[in-house]
Amino acid sequence: MKKALIVWGGWDGHQPKEVAEICEGVLKEEGFDVTVSDTLDAYTDAELMASLDLIVPIWTMGSITQEQLRPLLDTVAAGCGIAGCHGGMGDSFRNDVDYQYMVGGQWVAHPGNDGVIYDVNMVSEDDPLTKGIGDFEVCTEKYYMHVDPAIKVHATTSFGDVLMPIVWTKTWGQGRVYYNSLGHQANIVAMPQTLELMRRGFLWAAK
């Protein structure tokens, strides 16, 4: 049985507890043994970290100590997957560039705030992470992000003439990294398309 750790907290506006519950449900459906924690100190539990196949961070903003961050970075680099969404992974720990380097991007702005209607476009019809989901419309925050040129982009949206990644993957050492910028609140994570994207991301990252 594969093991996953969900760590939730940070800014309450992204409903981290509710999002954690949704992610826990998906992982349990897929047969994972899931540990859920509301403290970043979970990353300092060496025995737990060594047992993991997947880490799901749900922690917007806030700060993390080096004693908490280093085991996270090292565990992923050693081969554990990491997968998350929206600010819970892409806008965490704004002062920690090593964390942003691992994730492959960092939130910059969301013009119009919540309630923007926009299209999510799949990059390839044959991509196993997106196949069969199809393009869809969403009404939520639209993330403009700084992104690592090393990422592989799976879904995009547009800011005028700029194509902005929404779903991407990359590697960190031996570990697989999956990110989806959708998920402002629990209702967006629970959308069928977002939920399926996250399910596939969890499974891909945990391989």
Side-chain angles (χ1 to χ4, degrees):
M1 180 181 289
K2 291 193 173 182
K3 294 187 177 182
L5 169 66
I6 298 172
V7 179
W8 68 269
W11 184 58
D12 286 338
H14 281 160
Q15 299 178 333
K17 185 175 187 293
E18 293 84 350
V19 172
E21 290 170 352
I22 293 170
C23 293
E24 181 183 10
V26 171
L27 289 167
K28 286 185 173 179
E29 287 175 0
E30 295 296 335
F32 281 78
D33 177 9
V34 184
T35 299
V36 180
S37 175
D38 62 357
T39 172
L40 297 172
D41 284 337
Y43 297 141
T44 68
D45 184 334
E47 184 177 355
L48 172 63
M49 296 297 280
S51 73
L52 297 174
D53 300 285
L54 178 68
I55 297 166
V56 180
I58 307 173
W59 200 291
T60 301
M61 295 184 284
S63 59
I64 189 169
T65 67
Q66 286 301 304
E67 290 75 19
Q68 295 163 336
L69 178 61
R70 292 316 313 177
L72 171 60
L73 299 177
D74 292 346
T75 298
V76 177
C80 179
I82 186 168
C85 65
H86 201 63
M89 180 165 163
D91 188 23
S92 312
F93 323 131
R94 293 178 179 177
N95 293 325
D96 285 284
V97 293
D98 286 342
Y99 176 84
Q100 296 166 23
Y101 186 15
M102 175 184 67
V103 171
Q106 168 63 31
W107 172 82
V108 178
H110 40 57
N113 298 312
D114 196 12
V116 176
I117 298 172
Y118 61 96
D119 292 325
V120 178
N121 303 115
M122 305 302 120
V123 171
S124 170
E125 294 181 357
D126 298 321
D127 183 345
L129 286 176
T130 59
K131 187 174 182 179
I133 295 174
D135 299 344
F136 61 96
E137 185 178 84
V138 67
C139 179
T140 186
E141 283 187 343
K142 186 178 185 181
Y143 263 20
Y144 195 99
M145 305 189 75
H146 286 156
V147 294
D148 183 341
I151 64 174
K152 179 178 180 180
V153 180
H154 301 271
T156 65
T157 192
S158 62
F159 283 82
D161 294 332
V162 176
L163 277 181
M164 180 58 54
I166 287 183
V167 176
W168 72 66
T169 56
K170 62 169 290 188
T171 57
W172 178 257
Q174 300 300 311
R176 292 182 169 197
V177 179
Y178 176 92
Y179 177 72
N180 182 343
S181 72
L182 297 171
H184 175 58
Q185 291 189 327
N187 65 316
I188 302 299
V189 179
M191 286 177 57
Q193 299 95 327
T194 309
L195 204 61
E196 182 60 21
L197 286 168
M198 294 307 300
R199 181 189 305 274
R200 295 186 194 185
F202 292 151
L203 294 173
W204 176 86
K207 286 183 178 178

